[in-house]
Amino acid sequence: MTFKAVLLHFAVILLATFAGPRIAAAEPLQLVGLGDSLMAGYQLPQEDALPAQLQRELVAKGHDVVISNAGVSGDTTSGGLSRVDWSVPEGTDGVILELGANDALRGIPPEQTEKNLEQIIIRLKERDIPILLVGMLAPPNMGDDYGKRFNAIYPRLAEKHDLPLYPFVLDGVITERSLLLEDGMHPNTEGLKLMAERILPLAESWVAGIKGQSN
């Protein structure tokens, strides 16, 4: 091998060594929004759903992320638990977990809701997938006792499993009729935009933490 060939060979090795990690680092974070109709974007185009809206907000802030929509309208925590393994594919860097609204609407015992959510959390943690927990509040018509038991679920799980918590997914939306669909329950496009904007600060710090772990 000539001296020139040796130099060329050495240069190729250096390029592969130093360029490889940079290419890998340029890959966007793959996030999944696991939830119900509030995540799925009930009666709305996918580009208006919460994952798409939050993705745009994060990208505008300089975060290279892709958020897949694994929301299923009508889903309960039991349904989420039954599908978590295939709804969150290999290579997922983080999950935004939003479930429980339909449990409350159906009057499912809060203890069962908490058990289901905890099992979802445990399965994701076993796969080393970071979680951003998004909470829900029980409707007032469920009564004080039910409300107290249900509303305590999310803070308790967040503390127990050391998870970032956005306390109430519909904060600032559910009381504004102009931000809801005709059913008075589901957010419209503007409602989902506001939800994404309000979740953004916590999502930013969560994403930064994921990036820090991968470096």
Side-chain angles (χ1 to χ4, degrees), residues 35-158:
D36 47 39
S37 57
L38 300 176
M39 185 69 72
Y42 179 71
Q43 290 190 348
L44 296 172
Q46 280 298 292
E47 60 265 26
D48 291 345
L50 183 58
Q53 300 247 28
L54 185 56
Q55 177 179 311
R56 286 196 292 271
E57 294 287 343
L58 285 166
V59 169
K61 290 290 187 176
H63 302 283
D64 192 11
V65 301
V66 173
I67 308 180
S68 300
N69 192 341
V72 174
S73 293
D75 210 5
T76 60
T77 56
S78 176
L81 176 58
S82 69
R83 67 184 177 90
V84 62
D85 294 331
W86 57 265
S87 291
V88 181
E90 290 302 317
T92 297
D93 296 304
V95 167
I96 303 167
L97 176 57
E98 174 277 311
L99 281 167
N102 290 306
D103 292 50
L105 290 173
R106 298 181 187 188
I108 292 172
E111 295 75 18
Q112 185 60 51
T113 297
E114 183 168 2
K115 181 179 178 182
N116 292 337
L117 283 171
E118 183 160 39
Q119 285 303 307
I120 293 173
I121 291 167
I122 289 171
R123 288 197 189 181
L124 292 173
K125 292 186 79 171
E126 286 174 347
R127 296 170 59 186
D128 295 320
I129 298 176
I131 304 159
L132 191 163
L133 184 60
V134 178
M136 185 65 191
L137 297 177
N141 66 328
M142 296 304 296
D144 289 342
D145 177 65
Y146 187 93
K148 288 177 182 178
R149 289 158 56 210
F150 183 91
N151 297 344
I153 291 172
Y154 300 90
R156 186 160 51 235
L157 287 176

